[in-house]
Amino acid sequence: MSYEVRQEDLAEVFAEYGTVKSIQLPKDRETGRVRGFAFVEMETDEQELAAIENLDGAEWMGRDIKVNKARPRENRNSGGRGRSGGYSGGN
């Protein structure tokens, strides 16, 4: 999605398919710039499905967008210590 997107923009588009419960728009830690993706939570599964079906692959703000159901984060720790350890950074 566009790096110029704001939460208000997302709320307006997704509201066409139901009630938006929350929006998270992650930003790059170093630059403060939007990272090009967002998490939008809808009130019901039906509303979520309608948004996915109607918006996935659509052009919005000059870019094609990918809309799908969020998957749980994968464990970034390959040291075998389990999920309780925090991410310690990296490259």
Side-chain angles (χ1 to χ4, degrees):
M1 86 172 52
S2 171
Y3 293 107
E4 306 301 319
V5 70
R6 299 173 303 143
Q7 285 189 346
E8 296 81 11
D9 300 323
L10 287 167
E12 183 178 323
V13 169
F14 278 81
E16 293 181 32
Y17 304 100
T19 302
V20 176
K21 285 178 60 175
S22 68
I23 297 174
Q24 293 179 331
L25 197 56
K27 294 185 179 183
D28 183 273
R29 290 181 193 168
E30 293 178 18
T31 65
R33 182 174 135 178
V34 173
R35 294 179 61 193
F37 64 92
F39 298 98
V40 178
E41 183 181 9
M42 303 296 288
E43 189 167 89
T44 68
D45 290 340
E46 292 79 17
Q47 294 170 2
E48 178 182 283
L49 184 59
I52 291 170
E53 288 178 350
N54 288 284
L55 295 174
D56 186 39
E59 184 178 327
W60 184 57
M61 295 182 76
R63 297 192 58 165
D64 291 343
I65 59 172
K66 176 79 176 146
V67 181
N68 56 27
K69 189 162 184 75
R71 296 180 299 271
R73 287 181 75 161
E74 293 181 12
N75 185 1
R76 292 178 160 172
N77 181 357
S78 61
R81 292 186 290 174
R83 295 187 55 85
S84 62
Y87 180 63
S88 62
N91 302 346

